[in-house]
Every structure is written in structure tokens, then in C-alpha cells.
Amino acid sequence: MLTRRQFGIVTAGAVGQLLAADKENLVYVGTYTRGGSKGIYSYRFNPASGKLTEIGLAAEMPSPSFLYVTPNGRRLYAVGEQRGGLVSGFNIDRASGKLTAINQQQSGGDGPCHLAADPSGKVLVAAHYGSGSTAAFPIKADGSLGESSALIQHKGSSAHPQRQNGPHAHSVNFSKNGKYVVIGDLGLDQYIVYAVDTAKGTLTEHSVTKVNPGSGPRHLAFHPNYKFAYGDYELTGEAAAFQWDDAAGKLTHMQTLSTLPADYTGPKSCAEILVHPTGKFVYVSNRGHDSIAMYSTAADGKLTFLGTTPTEGKTPRNFRIDPSGAWLIAANQDGGNMVVFKVDKATGKLTSTGEQAKLPFPVSIKFVV
């Protein structure tokens, strides 16, 4: 079937007829494999109605806690978050939603929790929370992963006596030009920028941005213009705005503000942070408070807090905005449910649709575009 990109300019009626079977998005959900969960599950999402329909188990593997789908929608890569971690590659069958294993490699560390590929699709990088290291893997022409071509052990500690007594690499984000990859290390209170050699699959430390001691930087999300980036601090329940120089590979802090209501006194534990496709809004999930924090962005990249919306489940570790920008799906890890929210594209506010899907320990959602 032809894709939207291949149609070129055609009439609205023709598009409607030709794409009748292509209106729904394929969605994959990674889980922690306990409580009956077996791996990666597939769904169909209808962007007209906001309905999420289960297809079923797409692939079995141990605790695929974070997924990455290639921009062309052909392949999916997943971490296996366990001691003696794994990285696995799959081919995507759009018609059935099934995943066919390509190959698997030892990740080179414990508890891999995040991964991404460079824009050229030549190198996959994974972050290890457990052992506090960053690993790179060459991606071959057939999508298979080569053995690790780089493994960098982070060193140091920070202010929190339990959570920061050593390094805990937690996120992987590539620059637009693919020359750099930013690793958020919760244990060191640092965002570390590595220069990437895609031909050799090597990583070289390039720059470091330190945040306030005890913050616990977890994830990072680039603005669509790649002039700004936004991070969330797991331990202090905060969001931060940064300037990003894509040519120089440098992250500069601008602003830090809370993800929680002023009167909230409970546990703080941010998880995911995402920028709306328009770049107008930023969202952060709050575990403990069990909510999504909402922000608007200004021309200078700074944030304004808009409030929070309950996720209607416990421990919202991950969420994802659909390609149209009209919907947000929140995965409640300990609630065993995924909840669909309508996004107001004018205000950024979220409204629950009442649409839910049940799944044990959902922790990573990815749309196939």
C-alpha cells in the first residue's frame, strides 16, 4: 500500500478512499514482564475517535521497558531491563501488528532503560540505569545489531544518599544533525553530551551540563526547532528548560520550575517528558501525584505552568502524543491501564475521553508513523 508521503498532491476525496485502510495508527506497548505480562503488545489507534483497540502480544521478551521505532516505521528496537541487559531488534508487520525478531545482543550493562538510534540509522545507543553506563551498537543494513562498538562507564555520585551513590544513566537523545547524543544521568546530576562517529560506532565525551545537586535528571525532549530542550528531574519533581546549540553540541540551562501544585506535599517522582509536535506545549508525567503536568512554551523557549491532569491510574511512567497532536495516551504502570486524553491544540489542556485499555505493567508506548 502507498504511504501518505507517496501520494503527493491528490484530492481530498481520493485520499479518503485510498487511505480507508490506513486511517488507524499502529501502536506498540512495552511492559515489565510480571503479573501475566509477556513482552511487547500491539494496538490500533483511531485518530478520528480516539479509540485504542488491542491486537495482542506482538513479541515475547523480558521486560521491554523502553521501545524505539525507526522513522520509516519498518523496525522496532527494545531494551530488556534486567541484570545482564539485552537490546533486541524486530521487523514490523504493519498489517498484523506482529514483530519478527531480527537479532539480540547483550547490552553490556545492567538495567538498560532507554535507547535511540541516530538520524542516519547507523548507530543505536542505550543507557544503563543499573550499572550507570552508555553503550553503542552498529546497525547493519538488514536492521540487525552488531556487538557493542562502545561502552562508557560513568563515574561519580551526587547529593542523594540512596538514589545518587553512583551513576544511573537514564535517557538517550540524538541531536538533529546526528553528531551528538545527550545522556541524562540521574545519579550524577548531569546531562552528558557525546560526539558520535557513526562510521565507527564510537562515542567521545564532548560537553557536560550540571544541574542542581539532588535533582536527578531523568529524560530530555528536544523542541521541534532544536533550539531548545526540556528535561525532567525525577527526585525533585521539576521541569527544566535549556538552550540547545545543535552545531556546537552544548546544552545551557535557562529555567527550572515545579511539575506539581503548590500545595502538594506527597512523594515526587517525574518520569516522562515530551514536547507537543507543534512545539507549543510540554508535558511531564508525575508518579506519586499520578498526573500529567502541562506547560506552554514562549518564543524564548521558557515554560509557563498550566496545571496538572490526573492520569486515572497509578504510577504514570510513560505517555505518548499521537502523530496528529490531537491525543495523548498515558501508561499507568501500577494501575495496569492506558488512558486516552484529548489535547486542546489551542490551550494545551488535556481532557480524559474515558477510553481505556487494560494491560499489566505498561511502561513504554510508541506510535508507528
Side-chain angles (χ1 to χ4, degrees):
M1 176 178 288
L2 294 176
T3 66
R4 287 173 171 82
R5 295 182 179 88
Q6 291 170 314
F7 282 131
I9 300 174
V10 294
T11 66
V15 170
Q17 293 175 1
L18 291 169
L19 294 180
D22 196 33
K23 288 182 178 179
E24 294 188 324
N25 294 116
L26 182 59
V27 180
Y28 289 102
V29 182
T31 64
Y32 280 126
T33 47
R34 52 182 184 258
S37 181
K38 295 182 178 180
I40 303 170
Y41 291 80
S42 57
Y43 292 78
R44 298 284 180 190
F45 181 74
N46 188 319
S49 66
K51 185 172 179 59
L52 191 64
T53 304
E54 182 179 1
I55 299 172
L57 181 65
E60 285 195 47
M61 69 168 289
S63 291
S65 65
F66 198 81
L67 312 178
Y68 172 82
V69 172
T70 58
N72 62 14
R74 293 175 58 192
R75 298 188 179 105
L76 178 148
Y77 295 95
V79 297
E81 189 177 341
Q82 59 182 17
R83 184 176 294 276
L86 304 169
V87 286
S88 300
F90 300 89
N91 283 319
I92 293 173
D93 185 328
R94 286 176 177 266
S96 69
K98 291 291 186 181
L99 297 171
T100 302
I102 305 172
N103 78 326
Q104 187 177 81
Q105 294 285 1
Q106 294 292 318
S107 68
D110 293 336
C113 60
H114 206 273
L115 80 173
D118 79 288
S120 71
K122 295 178 180 177
V123 177
L124 185 81
V125 174
H128 295 100
Y129 178 85
S131 54
S133 59
T134 299
F137 304 85
I139 302 175
K140 301 177 183 179
D142 64 355
S144 62
L145 299 171
E147 293 183 357
S148 177
S149 53
L151 180 62
I152 300 176
Q153 178 61 55
H154 300 191
K155 295 179 181 179
S157 60
S158 195
H160 195 289
Q162 287 81 41
R163 297 295 307 280
Q164 295 182 312
N165 58 359
H168 294 296
H170 217 315
S171 58
V172 179
N173 292 87
F174 276 91
S175 62
K176 184 178 182 180
N177 61 23
K179 293 181 179 180
Y180 305 104
V181 64
V182 185
I183 308 297
D185 194 305
L186 183 150
L188 303 183
D189 283 322
Q190 295 177 358
Y191 285 105
I192 306 168
V193 180
Y194 292 106
V196 184
D197 186 325
T198 56
K200 298 179 180 178
T202 57
L203 306 173
T204 304
E205 187 174 309
H206 178 75
S207 66
V208 175
T209 299
K210 297 180 179 180
V211 304
N212 290 334
S215 297
R218 180 182 171 97
H219 284 188
L220 187 79
F222 283 111
H223 189 280
N225 65 16
Y226 279 83
K227 294 180 180 180
F228 310 112
Y230 302 94
D232 63 330
Y233 299 165
E234 179 174 333
L235 302 183
T236 54
E238 294 174 309
F242 299 86
Q243 288 182 330
W244 170 250
D245 188 325
D246 205 61
K250 186 171 178 59
L251 201 63
T252 304
H253 178 265
M254 296 192 298
Q255 177 194 27
T256 299
L257 65 171
S258 179
T259 64
L260 296 159
D263 60 353
Y264 177 72
T265 59
K268 301 175 181 179
S269 185
C270 291
E272 186 62 272
I273 184 166
L274 293 177
V275 182
H276 191 269
T278 62
K280 294 168 59 177
F281 310 107
V282 171
Y283 301 93
V284 182
S285 59
N286 278 311
R287 298 171 293 185
H289 190 249
D290 295 332
S291 66
I292 302 288
M294 304 166 289
Y295 304 85
S296 62
T297 62
D300 63 359
K302 290 186 177 180
L303 300 172
T304 298
F305 184 56
L306 301 176
T308 61
T309 297
T311 60
E312 301 181 6
K314 189 176 180 182
T315 320
R317 178 184 171 100
N318 186 250
F319 63 91
R320 194 62 44 179
I321 302 166
D322 87 302
S324 75
W327 311 92
L328 181 149
I329 305 176
N332 294 300
Q333 174 186 320
D334 297 324
N337 66 332
M338 294 177 290
V339 181
V340 180
F341 294 84
K342 182 68 176 175
V343 180
D344 187 319
K345 291 186 179 181
T347 67
K349 295 294 185 70
L350 305 176
T351 304
S352 175
T353 64
E355 176 71 20
Q356 293 195 20
K358 300 291 185 180
L359 181 66
F361 302 102
V363 289
S364 181
I365 300 173
K366 282 292 184 291
F367 283 86
V368 178
V369 180

